[in-house]
Amino acid sequence: GSVVVPLPRPGTEHAYHLYVVRSKARAVLQDHLKAQGIATAIHYPEPVHRQKAYAGRVAVGPGGLPVTDAVYREILSLPMHPFLSDDEVSRVIAAVSASA
């Protein structure tokens, strides 16, 4: 399946602390990367506005959060930290590209 990468909005810069991609075949992508020794994470397996700990603490309008509810099952965090070498970054890119 295709992989959607994050893109900053025009006129902005992003201070990535996570690098989260989207894939309708998230489990397949995650398994493919794991088989190649590439760790991934699902930081928010349940949207924050649906977690019990945040009940009544998240402002959600009458229309809800339809985009969040539509994509949370697709998000996957790829490795990203200051100690990744250029070769490791290239390996992750190649592995993700090969899965698409």
Side-chain angles (χ1 to χ4, degrees), residues 12 21 30 32 44 54 56 62 74 84 92:
T12 68
V21 297
Q30 191 172 33
H32 170 76
Y44 298 98
Y54 289 94
E74 300 176 1
L84 278 176
V92 172

Side-chain angles (χ1 to χ4, degrees), residues 4-53:
V4 178
V5 299
L7 296 173
R9 292 182 179 166
T12 68
E13 292 183 35
H14 199 293
Y16 295 101
H17 76 287
L18 298 173
Y19 192 81
V20 182
V21 297
R22 289 180 27 215
S23 173
K24 291 190 185 299
R26 175 177 72 185
V28 173
L29 174 60
Q30 191 172 33
D31 289 345
H32 170 76
L33 296 174
K34 182 178 181 179
Q36 295 186 51
I38 298 171
T40 60
I42 300 170
H43 282 90
Y44 298 98
E46 187 71 22
V48 171
H49 71 285
R50 298 201 177 276
Q51 294 177 22
K52 285 170 59 171

